[in-house]
């Protein structure tokens, strides 16, 4: 049978490894600071150009990442790797700058109820909180990323209109965000929706400034990646092993697993600069610490005896 090769895909993709932040923020057991540092160092060795290492948020909100400053101080910074962190307000920004991050990510959402639950303010209020953060980032020469959560659905409000995503995107771009990461926070997106949301955003920002952040709760993340690639998206967030999810939220799962994403990308002939086996080794290390197997399908296949 003649095969039809997929055309129009990017030749290179940047994979932003968010496991140390998005994964470990959900961890119920305690992962020690030393183990976090070791995990990040293993990821650095795997060849990522961008690693989201931690969050400078309120330790009351996310006690799991209360050691953000110690983690940033302890990692071996590899030249060519951008180490970033989440920052919700000026207090977080002061801590992040003192820790020497190279990028900060502010985070809001496309649905009011989620934003209220997550950062205790409205969407408009979050943008006001980010204004001085963005100014400080520009002054310090620190890159600014803007997350839009619940871009495909909200756990409280259900469906989210693409126009709502676009409105928040405009606000973050106006603040000076260098890159927007579009989040499927609860992993409900299907490929048709991905097309519609990306099409709502491309009039606002060059496609090179858009990243997709899929959680794989319902198994649609890789299908969503493929259509995003076909539309020219070249930045994807993922977590080693598919780390993440909350034992208190039945059915919740983590980000798309980095190993599964890399297997797809490399199989499509897309270059990432990342050593897939080295990511498996980072996941293997963390699995030992956590005492449970990663969710990644590739990991399961690669480590089967
Ligand atoms: P608040 O309670 O409204 O804030 O929380 P506050 O200013 O009243 O402060 C409360 C206390 O926290 C005070 O301490 C502050 O000093 C302290 P107290 O006086 O009571 O002792 N505080 C801080 N301490 C250290 N660093 C800080 C900081 N800020 C305040 N930066 C706030 C508002 C935004 C701070 C809080 O709700 C918060 O930190 N939320 C973070 C929530 C979070 O991290 N969620 C997960 C990340 S988002 C995500 O996962 C989605 C994403 O992956 C994309 C996707 O999948 O969609 C990005
Ligand atoms: Mg996330």
């Amino acid at each position: 049978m003649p095969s039809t090769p997929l055309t129009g895909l990017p030749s290179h993709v940047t994979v932003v490894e968010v496991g140390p932040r998005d994964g470990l923020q959900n961890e119920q057991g305690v992962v020690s600071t030393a183990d976090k540092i070791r995990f990040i160092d293993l990821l650095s060795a795997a060849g990522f150009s961008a690693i989201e290492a931690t969050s400078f948020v309120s330790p009351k909100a996310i006690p799991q990442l209360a050691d953000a400053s110690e983690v940033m101080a302890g990692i071996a910074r590899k030249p060519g790797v951008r180490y970033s962190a989440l920052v919700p307000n000026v207090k977080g920004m002061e801590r992040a700058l003192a820790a020497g991050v190279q990028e900060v990510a502010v985070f809001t959402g496309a649905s009011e109820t989620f934003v209220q639950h997550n950062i205790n303010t409205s969407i408009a209020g979050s943008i006001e909180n980010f204004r001085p953060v963005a100014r400080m980032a520009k002054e310090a020469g620190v890159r600014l990323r803007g997350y839009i959560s619940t871009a495909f659905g909200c756990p409280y409000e259900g469906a989210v209109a693409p126009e709502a995503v676009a409105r928040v995107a405009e606000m973050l771009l106006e603040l000076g965000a260098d890159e927007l990461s579009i989040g499927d926070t609860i992993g409900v997106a299907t490929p048709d929706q991905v097309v519609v949301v990306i099409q709502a955003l491309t009039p606002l920002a060059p496609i090179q400034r858009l990243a997709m952040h899929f959680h794989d709760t319902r198994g649609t993340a890789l299908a969503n990646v493929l259509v995003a690639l076909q539309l020219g998206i070249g930045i994807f967030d993922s977590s080693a092993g598919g780390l993440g999810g909350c034992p208190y939220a039945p059915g919740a799962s983590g980000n798309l697993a980095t190993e599964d994403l890399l297997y797809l990308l490399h199989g499509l002939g897309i270059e990432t600069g990342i050593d897939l086996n080295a990511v498996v080794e980072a996941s293997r290390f963390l699995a030992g610490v956590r005492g449970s197997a990663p969710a990644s399908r590739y990991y399961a296949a690669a480590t089967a005896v």
Side-chain angles (χ1 to χ4, degrees):
M1 272 239 305
S3 64
T4 310
L6 291 172
T7 54
L9 304 177
S11 57
H12 175 89
V13 156
T14 299
V15 176
V16 179
E17 172 56 50
V18 298
R21 192 281 302 172
D22 206 342
L24 295 183
Q25 76 181 10
N26 286 306
E27 199 56 35
Q28 295 307 312
V30 177
V31 177
S32 71
T33 305
D35 286 339
K36 289 175 184 171
I37 291 168
R38 176 84 183 124
F39 181 46
I40 295 170
D41 286 348
L42 286 168
L43 293 167
S44 296
F48 291 96
S49 58
I51 298 176
E52 199 170 76
T54 188
S55 288
F56 291 93
V57 296
S58 165
K60 286 178 185 143
I62 309 283
Q64 291 92 334
L65 301 182
D67 58 358
S69 303
E70 291 77 14
V71 168
M72 288 304 299
I75 58 175
R77 295 192 194 205
K78 192 177 158 201
V81 185
R82 190 171 70 227
Y83 296 94
S84 66
L86 255 57
V87 161
N89 53 20
V90 168
K91 181 160 191 178
M93 187 61 178
E94 285 165 350
R95 294 173 60 211
L97 288 177
V101 300
Q102 288 137 305
E103 178 185 76
V104 290
V106 292
F107 53 106
T108 183
S111 58
E112 288 290 354
T113 321
F114 175 80
V115 172
Q116 196 67 48
H117 276 84
N118 196 34
I119 48 176
N120 197 26
T121 184
S122 62
I123 296 171
S126 70
I127 298 294
E128 287 318 306
N129 291 342
F130 300 157
R131 216 172 279 289
V133 171
R135 214 169 24 242
M136 291 163 80
K138 295 295 158 195
E139 280 166 15
V142 164
R143 199 167 184 272
L144 183 68
R145 185 175 225 233
Y147 272 107
I148 305 176
S149 285
T150 58
F152 301 93
C154 169
Y156 309 102
E157 297 178 20
V160 170
E163 296 74 28
V165 185
R167 270 195 301 277
V168 180
E170 268 182 312
M171 294 188 242
L172 289 169
L173 290 166
E174 192 262 327
L175 278 183
D178 297 295
E179 183 175 301
L180 298 181
S181 179
I182 312 305
D184 184 13
T185 316
I186 53 170
V188 288
T190 49
D192 51 339
Q193 260 186 304
V194 173
V195 173
V196 171
V197 169
I198 292 173
Q199 284 175 346
L201 296 175
T202 42
L204 307 176
I207 197 113
Q208 295 81 359
R209 287 171 64 188
L210 300 179
M212 303 306 289
H213 178 105
F214 295 124
H215 284 255
D216 201 23
T217 316
R218 291 168 181 78
T220 53
L222 279 182
N224 294 336
V225 167
L226 183 58
V227 292
L229 285 169
Q230 288 175 309
L231 293 178
I233 295 285
I235 311 169
F236 293 92
D237 300 352
S238 61
S239 72
L243 195 60
C246 173
Y248 301 109
S253 77
N255 295 90
L256 167 60
T258 303
E259 293 92 330
D260 302 0
L261 174 63
L262 290 176
Y263 182 76
L264 176 79
L265 295 175
H266 295 171
L268 291 170
I270 297 170
E271 186 259 328
T272 65
I274 301 159
D275 178 349
L276 175 48
N277 290 328
V279 181
V280 169
E281 289 317 310
S283 291
R284 194 197 295 273
F285 165 74
L286 201 71
V289 170
R290 299 173 70 229
S292 63
S296 163
R297 308 287 290 270
Y298 181 91
Y299 180 95
T303 57
V305 282

